[in-house]
Every structure is written in C-alpha cells, then in structure tokens.
Amino acid sequence: MAPRAGFLPALAAVYRAQLSRARVARIPLLFVATFQSVGIMILMRGVVDGGSEARAVVAGSSVLVVAFVALNLLAQYFGQLRAGGGLDHYATLPVPPASVVLGAAAAYASFTLPGTLVTAVFGCVLFGLPMGGLWILAAVVPLAGAALAGLGAALGLLAPRQELATLAGQLGMSAALLLGVLPPERMPDVIVWARDLLPSTYGVEAFARTFTPEPDWAAVALDLGVCAAVGVLSLAVATWAYRRAAVR
C-alpha cells in the first residue's frame, strides 16, 4: 500500500477533485441559492422600511446563500456518499480523513461567495444601505461557511438513512432562513434563544453590524470568533463521523 499522503497535499487534491465534480452543477446551484435569497428580500421589502430590520433582512438573506450550500447540499452529498458506498472509495485512498471532509466542505463553500455578494449588493440597493462594509463578507463567508459545512457534513454522515440526511439538511436550512432573515425584534424570547444556537446567526450579526454608521468592531470580531470556534468543533465532529462511517 502507498504511504499516507500529508494533510495539506491530500486536502488540495480532494478540494480540486470535488471542485471539478461540483462545477457541472455550479450555475443552477448558484442561481437557485441566490434567487431564493433575492426573492425573500423583495417580499420583505413590502413590510420592512429600513433601520435595524432592513439590516437584519439583508444580512440574513446573504448568509442564507451560505446555509443553502454548506449545510443543506453538503448534508445531502455525504448522505448520498454513505448510502451509495462512496465512502469505501475514499477509505481505500492513502489520505487523512480530515482532508476528505475539509476538501469537500471547502469545494462546496467556494460556490457561495459570488451568490452571497450578489445578494448583498442587491439588498443594499433595495433597502438603501451603505456598501462600504461589504468587504466583511471575505471573513463572514469562510467562517460561517466552515461552521455550517461542518454541521452539514456531520448530519449527512451520522444520519442512519440517506432520506433522513436530506431531511436534516433541509430542516437546518429552513431554521437558518426563518431565524436568520426575520428581524429578531419581532420574535418571542424563546425563538430568540433558539436563534442564538444557530452558528449562522453570528455571521448574520457580524455582517449586519457593518451597516451602522459606527460599527462595533469588537462585537463583529466576537461574532466571527464564535463562527470560527463552531467551525473547528463541527468539522472535528464531521471528521470523527467520517471515520466512524468509513470503517463500518
């Protein structure tokens, strides 16, 4: 058997392979994810005039693109991979398990940045918000994407059946939609507590803060730090779930 490859070369190889495979579905995937978020903002424009509610809608709709791909689609992908025996193929390769999970997650997350940026620009125009803070998406997308991708991969690998993996991914994305897009000021306390449990919430909050005239950068950094911490934890759980599923 060939010697085991190093982590970074294996990660790069898996990333390129997954990116090439996913490129076939890139255009419809981006269209669906972006169109969904843009449509939600148009609907919300009828009931939200501006202020903090507009900031929440635009930030939530933008991060929803990340949730659609990183959480929903990745849960479905790993669920299909496990049900179809695809994990056996990866298990025979001399690559670290973490490189398989991270490579697939990074490839799916690569598709989210263009759609997120288009959604954010459209939302700023629609609600009259400043665009000077859109650079924060360069941090929000990878950090929130890592947290959601790890969660999606773990759901896909731990679900006992492919259908349940698909269901879990769609429920997770629905939670990100309902709890991330709707302004928290209009939610009951118990729903706000549930919102705080979602890793995407902290990406939404970090992005929404940058629309204010004087952003609280310490709070932005704290929100992004939560995303990073959840990302490390969720990807570690996904790697453990991959090892568990691959040896069965």
Side-chain angles (χ1 to χ4, degrees):
M1 180 176 291
R4 181 175 289 269
F7 173 74
L8 290 179
L11 174 62
V14 172
Y15 173 76
R16 288 196 299 270
Q18 290 291 337
L19 198 63
S20 177
R21 174 188 173 279
R23 188 174 296 152
V24 177
R26 180 175 56 181
I27 293 178
L29 185 152
L30 279 175
F31 177 80
V32 171
T34 307
F35 182 79
Q36 173 183 256
S37 291
V38 168
I40 289 171
M41 286 193 297
I42 292 174
L43 289 174
M44 293 300 292
R45 186 66 181 87
V47 295
V48 172
D49 294 327
S52 62
E53 293 185 343
R55 295 194 289 269
V57 170
V58 174
S61 299
S62 301
V63 175
L64 181 61
V65 179
V66 182
F68 179 87
V69 177
L71 177 57
N72 182 29
L73 295 184
L74 206 56
Q76 293 183 36
Y77 170 71
F78 274 106
Q80 292 170 357
L81 202 64
R82 185 185 180 201
L87 290 182
D88 297 337
H89 166 71
Y90 283 107
T92 61
L93 298 177
V95 296
S99 66
V100 177
V101 174
L102 289 175
Y108 272 74
S110 297
F111 292 112
T112 63
L113 185 57
T116 304
L117 186 58
V118 169
T119 302
V121 170
F122 184 87
C124 288
V125 173
L126 189 64
F127 288 93
L129 296 176
M131 298 187 192
L134 294 187
W135 61 268
I136 198 67
L137 289 176
V140 170
V141 171
L143 293 177
L148 294 170
L151 187 58
L155 289 174
L157 290 166
L158 292 175
R161 295 174 54 187
Q162 178 183 349
E163 294 81 2
L164 294 178
T166 300
L167 177 62
Q170 292 181 345
L171 287 176
M173 192 202 68
S174 298
L177 190 162
L178 295 173
L179 302 180
V181 174
L182 297 178
E185 294 85 353
R186 300 192 179 192
M187 298 179 183
D189 289 342
V190 64
I191 301 299
V192 173
W193 296 338
R195 180 177 182 269
D196 291 342
L197 297 176
L198 278 176
S200 58
T201 296
Y202 299 92
V204 173
E205 292 290 338
F207 186 25
R209 294 182 197 279
T210 63
F211 288 127
T212 59
E214 296 182 358
D216 184 348
W217 294 111
V220 172
L222 181 60
D223 287 330
L224 293 178
V226 173
C227 288
V230 175
V232 170
L233 179 62
S234 63
L235 287 170
V237 172
T239 301
W240 169 80
Y242 169 82
R243 287 196 182 97
R244 177 175 175 268
V247 299
R248 285 191 170 184

